[in-house]
């Protein structure tokens, strides 16, 4: 019986090509940050309130105008067709069924237009869960402009701009396995360039991308812009000054620069830096409903999950992802009840204790972001 995220991983590994399992699990260098992301959550402790009289709980949120029935988002992950034939279509239908925001990867093996159609079909006549679109700003700005237009026309309600990739991280597992490209028959659908006869372009990791490019992007779209991968507090403050609408506090799952801190360790400092002016979504190491509670209590408006979605997709396709999201939702609801909370709006820093770090969270400013 699948009871935990680890159960999904164990089951998925029995089905997957070991090379593809390594692609999901692996990170950069010695994979210190990969491990630290989960370990940091385990070090945190919850200090619940009692006798609060909360018989019903709401998990609904609104972030940057996107309404969802859960504060657990699907972070952008690449190459879902490596795992199941339907690829991102299966993932999108599962997300819609549970009312979760899905961030469509720029390296998706299904086009955003088809993913959006799948969410409409899975909505059961109601509104589908929102889609956001992950964007690597390309030095070819006209190609970038065309991607923004595609995402907008497909109905995406926010852009998530990955900014931690001036070069590609060193994925030693992939290098040892010779996994350097997609198998024949699969491609990154968003990198097909009609100007060049349908050639599939590589995703450019460019060190020339700067705040000037963020300003340019702000000038060509009215969609909310979140930066994914800004870890330094000064960069968080700069994001606010440059009109960025939100942050996805992420260390790329440990797949870019190894030895950076866990995102949950950085959250209080980043939250203080933005001072409630923009919402923060956190990903990296979220594996339990209690992890979600800790992140929301320390200032996140929502959390994202990446690898767990991939393991669940590999294990059971759409049904696997649905079961994963249901499981995490059940754990979150139980943790809220045990903490004396009627909803995510009741989670405050005083509920978290950090025996390893300076225990300053109880006096911190209450969490920011637009949550309802």
């Amino acid at each position: 019986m699948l009871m935990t995220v680890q159960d999904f991983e164990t089951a998925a590994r029995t089905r997957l090509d070991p090379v593809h399992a390594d692609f999901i699990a692996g990170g950069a260098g010695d994979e210190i940050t990969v491990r630290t992301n989960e370990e940091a959550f385990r070090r945190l402790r919850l200090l619940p309130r009692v006798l609060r009289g909360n018989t019903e709980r709401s998990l609904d949120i609104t972030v940057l105008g996107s309404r969802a029935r859960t504060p657990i988002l699907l972070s952008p992950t690449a190459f879902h067709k490596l795992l199941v034939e339907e690829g991102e279509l299966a993932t999108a239908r599962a997300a819609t069924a549970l009312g979760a925001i899905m961030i469509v990867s720029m390296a998706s093996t299904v086009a955003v237009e088809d993913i959006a159609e799948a969410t409409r079909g899975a909505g059961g006549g109601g509104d589908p869960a929102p889609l956001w679109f992950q964007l690597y700003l390309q030095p070819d700005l006209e190609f970038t402009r065309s991607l923004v237009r595609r995402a907008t026309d497909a109905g995406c309600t926010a852009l998530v701009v990955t900014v931690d990739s001036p070069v590609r991280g060193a994925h030693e597992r992939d290098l040892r396995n010779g996994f350097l490209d997609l198998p024949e028959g699969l491609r990154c659908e968003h990198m097909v360039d009609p100007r060049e006869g349908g050639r599939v372009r590589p995703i450019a990791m460019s060190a020339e991308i700067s705040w000037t490019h963020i300003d340019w992007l702000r000038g060509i779209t009215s969609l909310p812009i979140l930066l994914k991968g800004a870890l330094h507090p000064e960069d968080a403050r700069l994001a606010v000054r440059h009109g960025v609408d939100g942050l996805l506090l992420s260390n790329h799952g440990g797949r870019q620069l190894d030895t950076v801190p866990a995102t949950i360790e950085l959250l209080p400092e980043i939250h203080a830096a933005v001072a409630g002016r923009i919402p923060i979504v956190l990903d990296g190491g979220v594996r339990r409903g209690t992890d979600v509670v800790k992140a929301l209590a320390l200032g996140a408006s929502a959390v994202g999950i990446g690898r767990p979605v991939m393991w669940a997709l590999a294990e059971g396709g759409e049904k696997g992802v649905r079961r994963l999201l249901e499981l995490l939702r059940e754990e979150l609801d139980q943790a809220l009840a045990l903490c004396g909370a009627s909803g995510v709006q009741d989670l405050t820093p005083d509920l978290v204790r950090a025996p390893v770090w300076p225990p300053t969270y109880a006096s911190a400013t209450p969490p920011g972001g637009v949550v309802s």
Side-chain angles (χ1 to χ4, degrees):
M1 182 180 294
L2 299 172
M3 299 291 294
T4 68
V5 168
Q6 183 59 54
D7 290 341
F8 282 96
E9 177 176 349
T10 300
R13 285 182 178 276
T14 66
R15 300 169 181 255
L16 281 174
D17 181 327
V19 171
H20 298 162
D22 269 356
F23 166 71
I24 297 172
D30 294 316
E31 300 182 351
I32 292 169
T33 297
V34 174
R35 297 187 295 274
T36 299
N37 275 341
E38 294 186 44
E39 291 165 358
F41 274 108
R42 295 190 192 107
R43 289 196 295 266
L44 285 174
R45 302 291 181 263
L46 287 172
L47 187 65
R49 299 294 305 275
V50 298
L51 299 173
R52 303 297 286 267
N54 296 322
T55 58
E56 295 183 3
R57 290 164 299 283
S58 171
L59 305 185
D60 292 357
I61 63 165
T62 299
V63 181
L64 296 175
S66 293
R67 297 183 60 84
R69 299 199 306 273
T70 172
I72 303 170
L73 285 63
L74 279 64
S75 292
T77 49
F79 308 159
H80 290 198
K81 280 195 172 184
L82 277 180
L83 311 179
V84 295
E85 184 176 355
E86 288 190 303
E88 287 81 1
L89 298 180
T91 313
R93 286 195 292 265
T96 289
L98 273 295
I101 296 170
M102 176 179 174
I103 306 175
V104 178
S105 172
M106 186 155 150
S108 170
T109 47
V110 176
V112 65
E113 296 87 352
D114 296 329
I115 294 171
E117 184 62 31
T119 65
R120 287 190 286 270
D127 292 333
L131 290 178
W132 295 355
F133 186 79
Q134 180 213 18
L135 181 69
Y136 288 91
L137 286 163
Q138 301 295 280
D140 183 339
L141 294 183
E142 284 309 305
F143 185 72
T144 300
R145 189 192 300 270
S146 72
L147 287 173
V148 172
R149 187 180 305 116
R150 285 183 65 180
T152 304
D153 290 347
C156 292
T157 56
L159 297 174
V160 179
V161 183
T162 297
V163 294
D164 63 358
S165 303
V167 297
R168 196 178 303 274
H171 300 171
E172 293 175 6
R173 295 199 205 198
D174 293 341
L175 292 171
R176 289 193 182 98
N177 291 331
F179 183 64
L180 305 176
D181 204 352
L182 283 167
E184 186 175 352
L186 299 183
R187 65 185 188 180
C188 293
E189 290 293 337
H190 300 125
M191 300 308 295
V192 177
D193 192 344
R195 301 174 305 173
E196 300 183 15
R199 179 178 76 91
V200 181
R201 303 166 60 113
I203 296 177
M205 307 291 183
S206 174
E208 74 178 81
I209 301 301
S210 70
W211 290 105
T212 301
H213 293 81
I214 301 299
D215 295 339
W216 171 83
L217 181 64
R218 179 72 288 166
I220 70 163
T221 182
S222 61
L223 291 180
I225 296 171
L226 298 92
L227 296 191
K228 178 179 182 290
L231 301 177
H232 197 288
E234 185 55 33
D235 285 331
R237 286 185 280 267
L238 280 169
V240 173
R241 293 176 204 150
H242 282 267
V244 169
D245 301 287
L247 297 178
L248 204 170
L249 180 56
S250 170
N251 55 33
H252 220 116
R255 298 171 73 88
Q256 280 299 99
L257 178 63
D258 196 21
T259 77
V260 301
T263 50
I264 191 66
E265 293 176 330
L266 295 171
L267 177 57
E269 195 173 359
I270 296 296
H271 179 254
V274 302
R277 290 171 291 182
I278 58 176
I280 302 167
V281 178
L282 176 142
D283 79 4
V286 174
R287 300 293 183 267
R288 286 282 192 178
T290 48
D291 296 338
V292 182
V293 168
K294 293 168 185 176
L296 299 182
L298 292 178
S301 295
V303 303
I305 53 173
R307 287 185 179 90
V309 173
M310 299 288 275
W311 296 126
L313 184 66
E315 183 281 327
E318 178 184 344
K319 290 182 179 179
V321 178
R322 285 185 65 160
R323 174 57 188 146
L324 170 73
L325 294 175
E326 288 168 351
L327 175 68
L328 289 172
R329 182 182 175 88
E330 291 164 4
E331 288 187 357
L332 172 57
D333 183 70
Q334 182 189 54
L336 285 173
L338 291 171
C339 284
S342 64
V344 297
Q345 73 281 350
D346 291 340
L347 298 175
T348 49
D350 58 289
L351 300 177
V352 181
R353 288 293 182 269
V356 176
W357 314 333
T360 58
Y361 303 148
S363 61
T365 304
V370 183
V371 180
S372 66

